[in-house]
């Protein structure tokens, strides 16, 4: 079974075709989120922003994790290495723990941070041969099987209520044409449970300028579930089911470090001769405890028609559509000896080719979700079916516009990229001009 996400809907001159996903998102009545709430009163917080860089080269570190020590509050850096972290004032005497794969973990006192323009540098963690266990397993496939088998004891065994920030963007070539963001509550079931996670919307906003899409109106269907199902330890059946493991060749690559732990890097790819589009990528497995700490992988697009069939349900007869890249990322975090889903992203690039046009169009979408806070809850702590995000509504159609600069309040978000901020400003200016002209 392939991981068929994300889902896209394109309306082309009154025709439409649907790129099929596992599930989609709806917007229903919000629930009061738990993050930073005490007895119904809002807790004061400080906001810190800055950039995480490599100490020697000064390059930005993308998707570095920042966690307030001793709490479940965290965020990540964006694709430009920038971060925005909101910390309740009661925690300002703690440290921020900054970690990134292949680098030494660093603790920074929150009291030493400025409100803006902080620069945090991480040093490369050199793996010495003496650190590698001479008794390390020689069979990469056996190690992957052992990691999957140990899931129940290494990952969260209690239900959890997680606050998450979700963002999706759609571009025509390099231009942002649709931006949508949401804070959601994720009801995460134990990793040993076969019951799916549930998602509930707290608040959302969007900005869309379909004039940049020319004759194509593209919308993403799937919302936060698109990213949630990339959690391969919770949903191994979509990538590494027992039956599909034999379709892959697993090999040991380099070793690296994260959070001062030695990590095996295992490469995988489907065997030649297997016609079904499967995946290739890297798994990052903790040496000592046989725990998957993260993965980066992509769909093999060796046959564009078969790859398109994974996503396209219907389309106009004169239009050919196929993906040119589909890639995924998932990262896990540790707390008190147990691991949990922390961040995931999906990127998809595809082409739309008109039979009567000389040139084709290129589109891309990105969906990402980061857990910014969580707490353990009882098994009965789960929204009713009607309160859960359904599997058919499109976030960009339902969310309100980008208008209030303080919209998110105390909730941690992923810092917007400069291109996204610029697109929002341009769309807002265009909307204001349209409103003045209508008056």
């Amino acid at each position: 079974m392939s991981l068929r996400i994300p889902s896209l809907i394109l309306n082309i001159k009154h025709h439409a075709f649907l790129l099929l996903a596992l599930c989609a998102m709806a917007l229903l009545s919000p629930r009061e989120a738990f993050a930073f709430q005490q007895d119904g009163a809002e807790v004061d917080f400080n906001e810190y922003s800055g950039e995480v860089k490599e100490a020697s080269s000064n390059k930005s570190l993308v998707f570095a994790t920042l966690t307030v020590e001793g709490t479940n509050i965290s965020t990540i850096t964006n694709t430009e290495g920038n971060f925005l972290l909101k910390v309740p004032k009661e925690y300002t005497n703690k440290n921020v723990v900054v970690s990134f794969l292949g680098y030494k973990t660093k603790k920074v006192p929150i009291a030493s941070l400025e409100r803006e323009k902080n620069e945090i540098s991480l040093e490369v963690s050199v793996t010495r041969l003496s650190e590698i266990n001479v008794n390390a397993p020689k069979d990469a496939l056996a190690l992957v099987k052992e990691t999957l088998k140990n899931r129940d004891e290494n990952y969260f065994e209690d239900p959890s209520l997680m606050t998450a920030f979700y963002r999706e963007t759609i571009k025509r070539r390099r231009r942002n044409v649709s931006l949508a963001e949401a804070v959601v509550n994720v009801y995460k079931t134990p990793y040993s449970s076969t019951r799916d996670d549930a998602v509930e919307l707290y608040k959302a906003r969007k900005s869309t300028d379909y004039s940049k899409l020319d004759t194509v109106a593209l919308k993403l269907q799937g919302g936060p579930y698109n990213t949630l199902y990339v959690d391969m330890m919770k949903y191994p059946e979509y990538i590494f089911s027992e039956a599909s493991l034999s379709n892959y060749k697993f090999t040991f690559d380099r070793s690296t470090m994260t959070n001062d732990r030695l990590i095996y890097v295992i490469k995988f790819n489907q065997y030649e001769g297997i016609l079904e589009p499967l995946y290739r990528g890297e798994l990052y497995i903790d040496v000592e405890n046989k725990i998957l700490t993260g993965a980066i992988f992509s769909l093999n697009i060796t046959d564009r028609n078969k790859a398109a069939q994974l996503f396209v349900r219907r389309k106009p007869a004169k239009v050919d559509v196929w993906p040119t890249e589909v890639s995924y990322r998932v990262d896990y975090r540790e707390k008190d000896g147990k691991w949990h889903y922390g961040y995931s992203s999906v990127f998809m690039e595809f082409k739309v080719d008109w039979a009567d046009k000389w040139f084709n169009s290129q589109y891309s979408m990105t969906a990402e979700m980061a857990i910014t806070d969580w707490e353990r809850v009882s098994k009965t702590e789960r929204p009713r079916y009607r309160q859960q995000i359904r599997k058919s509504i499109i976030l960009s159609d339902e969310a309100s516009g980008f208008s209030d600069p303080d919209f998110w309040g105390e909730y941690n978000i992923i810092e917007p990229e400069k291109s996204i901020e610029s697109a929002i400003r341009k769309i807002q200016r265009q909307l204001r001009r349209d409103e003045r002209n209508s008056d």
Side-chain angles (χ1 to χ4, degrees):
M1 181 186 298
S2 295
L3 183 65
R4 303 182 183 187
I5 56 177
S7 171
L8 298 168
I9 293 177
L10 287 82
N11 295 316
I12 306 177
K13 291 183 177 178
H14 307 296
H15 296 281
F17 63 89
L18 172 66
L19 280 81
L20 187 63
L22 294 170
C23 54
M25 171 179 181
L27 306 175
L28 296 175
S29 59
R31 173 192 184 277
E32 284 298 319
F34 68 87
F36 307 125
Q37 299 289 327
Q38 289 184 350
D39 298 326
E42 183 175 316
V43 179
D44 290 338
F45 64 93
N46 289 339
E47 183 174 294
Y48 306 93
S49 62
E51 186 175 2
V52 178
K53 295 184 175 182
E54 180 184 299
S56 58
S57 67
N58 212 36
K59 74 174 183 179
S60 300
L61 295 181
V62 178
F63 305 136
T65 299
L66 298 93
T67 303
V68 179
E69 191 175 28
T71 76
N72 302 325
I73 302 168
S74 61
T75 189
I76 66 163
T77 58
N78 66 9
T79 56
E80 296 167 338
N82 298 316
F83 69 86
L84 179 66
L85 180 64
K86 298 176 182 180
V87 182
K89 290 184 177 179
E90 63 181 296
Y91 297 143
T92 52
N93 62 334
K94 293 182 177 292
N95 297 322
V96 172
V97 181
V98 187
S99 60
F100 188 76
L101 185 68
Y103 292 77
K104 294 180 180 178
T105 300
K106 188 172 187 177
K107 293 183 179 181
V108 180
I110 295 175
S112 70
L113 296 175
E114 302 291 336
R115 295 300 180 87
E116 298 179 352
K117 299 181 179 178
N118 295 283
E119 187 173 301
I120 301 174
S121 298
L122 300 184
E123 296 181 355
V124 175
S125 181
V126 179
T127 304
R128 299 178 178 86
L129 291 177
S130 60
E131 295 174 337
I132 300 177
N133 186 353
V134 294
N135 296 318
K138 302 297 187 289
D139 187 340
L141 173 58
L143 177 59
V144 172
K145 288 183 176 180
E146 184 178 0
T147 300
L148 294 171
K149 182 180 178 181
N150 293 342
R151 178 189 69 171
D152 296 355
E153 60 187 72
N154 288 330
Y155 293 81
F156 272 11
E157 55 193 10
D158 298 317
S160 301
L161 173 57
M162 298 180 167
T163 296
F165 176 76
Y166 171 78
R167 175 186 290 136
E168 60 185 44
T169 64
I170 298 175
K171 294 182 179 181
R172 181 171 185 249
R173 297 196 182 275
R174 295 184 179 181
R175 290 188 175 184
N176 285 292
V177 296
S178 180
L179 311 167
E181 300 176 328
V183 169
V184 296
N185 297 314
V186 179
Y187 294 81
K188 207 84 170 67
T189 59
Y191 277 78
S192 59
S193 172
T194 57
R195 192 177 188 184
D196 282 0
D197 302 323
V199 181
E200 184 181 28
L201 180 75
Y202 178 63
K203 60 195 308 183
R205 66 181 184 178
K206 62 100 178 203
S207 185
T208 304
D209 184 359
Y210 285 118
S211 65
K212 290 189 176 70
L213 284 172
D214 192 20
T215 56
V216 176
L218 176 103
K219 300 177 182 180
L220 171 67
Q221 186 179 29
Y225 282 106
N226 285 326
T227 49
L228 193 57
Y229 282 150
V230 185
D231 181 357
M232 64 168 62
M233 293 306 296
K234 174 64 178 176
Y235 304 100
E237 65 271 19
Y238 295 130
I239 304 172
F240 293 142
S241 65
E242 291 187 14
S244 68
L245 280 173
S246 59
N247 295 328
Y248 290 98
K249 180 180 180 180
F250 295 90
T251 57
F252 285 102
D253 195 44
R254 65 194 184 281
S255 295
T256 186
M257 299 287 291
T258 184
N259 292 325
D260 302 321
R261 297 171 180 265
L262 188 61
I263 302 295
Y264 287 126
V265 180
I266 295 182
K267 289 184 175 293
F268 66 93
N269 202 350
Q270 67 188 85
Y271 282 107
E272 293 183 8
I274 296 177
L275 301 180
E276 180 186 359
L278 297 177
Y279 303 96
R280 67 180 182 275
E282 294 182 344
L283 306 175
Y284 306 99
I285 298 179
D286 181 280
V287 170
E288 182 178 357
N289 300 305
K290 311 299 186 293
I291 295 170
L292 182 73
T293 64
I296 298 175
F297 57 104
S298 60
L299 181 72
N300 284 321
I301 305 177
T302 54
D303 185 322
R304 80 181 196 186
N305 292 325
K306 288 188 176 182
Q309 289 171 9
L310 292 174
F311 301 95
V312 180
R313 190 172 73 181
R314 66 179 185 271
K315 65 180 181 63
K318 294 184 178 181
V319 179
D320 192 13
V321 183
W322 69 94
T324 57
E325 180 181 351
V326 183
S327 55
Y328 309 89
R329 179 190 183 101
V330 60
D331 293 318
Y332 297 90
R333 299 171 187 163
E334 184 265 343
K335 180 69 182 296
D336 299 330
K338 296 291 184 179
W339 290 74
H340 66 89
Y341 164 78
Y343 171 82
S344 63
S345 64
V346 183
F347 173 80
M348 181 177 184
E349 186 176 76
F350 60 98
K351 289 187 178 180
V352 178
D353 189 15
W354 295 82
D356 55 354
K357 289 187 178 182
W358 284 99
F359 302 101
N360 55 37
S361 299
Q362 180 177 300
Y363 299 90
S364 65
M365 61 73 54
T366 302
E368 60 180 341
M369 186 163 69
I371 302 301
T372 59
D373 204 349
W374 61 270
E375 66 176 358
R376 289 185 172 89
V377 295
S378 67
K379 294 181 180 179
T380 58
E381 186 77 20
R382 186 179 176 93
R384 295 179 179 178
Y385 180 78
R386 289 179 296 177
Q387 295 174 309
Q388 296 178 27
I389 288 174
R390 291 180 289 125
K391 302 179 180 180
S392 58
I393 296 180
I394 300 164
L395 178 61
S396 60
D397 278 352
E398 302 299 321
S400 58
F402 285 90
S403 57
D404 182 2
D406 299 319
F407 181 80
W408 299 120
E410 70 271 32
Y411 292 96
N412 273 302
I413 65 172
I414 303 173
E415 180 79 335
E417 300 168 7
K418 292 181 176 63
S419 61
I420 292 177
E421 291 180 323
S422 175
I424 292 171
R425 288 195 295 269
K426 288 179 180 178
I427 293 173
Q428 286 178 330
R429 286 197 296 269
Q430 181 62 47
L431 291 175
R432 286 194 293 268
R433 283 195 293 267
D434 293 344
E435 289 176 356
R436 287 195 296 269
N437 292 337
S438 64
D439 293 338

